[in-house]
Amino acid sequence: MALLQVIYMSTAAGVPTDAQLDALLEAAVRNNGQRGITGMLLYCGNRFLQVLEGQAQDVEQAYARIVQDPRHMDVFLLHRGDVAQREFDRWRMGFRRVGEPEAQRHPDYAPMIRGQFDPARMGAQPGVALDMLRAFAREPTDS
Ligand code: FAD
């Protein structure tokens, strides 16, 4: 059965502390483990970029909950589509803060990173956003 993959970006409501990001991630990992959702979350400047994948109904429900979360706003759907198999199966929710060191290590994605995940740039290149998520998912993460 095909799996659904959803990618969105959003803007944090304020500047989350490390403890707040940890709490968000802890709930994400716990819930995703129960629902068979895998994915990756990047935080850059004050923006989030996340991919969720799993059974369609589970992903739709998780995404509907996430969209309503007051800890972020301006949720912008970049991609929604079927995938034959999971691409992020290592992570119930991988996490990485992305900044200048990552831009230097990944020159291909530097314009997006230095542009702080600008919605217009991301929206114009959803395939590059997915490639970037894949690249960071292959590395050890902060979680
Ligand atoms: P709890 O985490 O215990 O929270 C209970 C309620 O309080 C929820 O409605 C929650 O939204 C709200 N809440 C909790 N902490 C705060 C806070 N500091 N400020 C305001 N409201 C708060 N959830 C997933 O299941 N999977 C994910 O992959 C995932 N990714 C996320 C990515 C981002 C960028 C954000 C902002 C949230 C994400 N979440 C994710 C969290 C999701 O939005 C829900 O908060 C969570 O699924 C609810 O989990 P819970 O029922 O265990 O409640």
Side-chain angles (χ1 to χ4, degrees):
M1 190 154 122
L3 298 162
L4 179 65
Q5 193 177 63
V6 163
I7 306 174
Y8 75 87
M9 61 168 301
S10 65
T11 304
V15 181
T17 63
D18 286 349
Q20 287 170 332
L21 285 174
D22 285 349
L24 186 159
L25 206 59
E26 199 180 295
V29 167
R30 183 183 64 234
N31 292 337
N32 293 350
Q34 289 166 0
R35 295 171 185 130
I37 292 175
T38 49
M40 184 81 199
L41 176 66
L42 303 182
Y43 181 65
C44 178
N46 68 336
R47 297 225 162 89
F48 293 107
L49 174 67
Q50 187 175 32
V51 56
L52 300 159
E53 61 185 16
Q55 297 297 330
Q57 190 183 345
D58 297 325
V59 172
E60 297 287 12
Q61 283 174 359
Y63 181 65
R65 231 181 20 255
I66 292 169
V67 165
Q68 300 202 0
D69 194 313
R71 290 171 285 185
H72 65 168
M73 56 199 178
D74 300 334
V75 178
F76 181 80
L77 184 67
L78 289 171
H79 172 77
R80 177 197 296 268
D82 289 347
V83 281
Q85 59 188 37
R86 290 177 194 269
E87 297 192 78
F88 298 88
D89 56 347
R90 274 176 72 197
W91 307 110
R92 285 175 289 169
M93 190 45 61
F95 176 67
R96 175 172 284 282
R97 287 174 191 73
V98 176
E100 189 52 33
E102 285 72 25
Q104 288 182 17
R105 217 171 52 250
H106 293 283
D108 288 355
Y109 309 124
M112 283 201 172
I113 295 169
R114 295 197 176 114
Q116 302 209 314
F117 291 0
D118 172 57
R121 195 191 288 264
M122 285 278 185
Q125 297 177 291
V128 179
L130 178 58
D131 283 345
M132 181 167 60
L133 285 155
R134 286 180 184 131
F136 285 116
R138 284 194 292 270
E139 299 181 346
T141 71
D142 296 353
S143 64

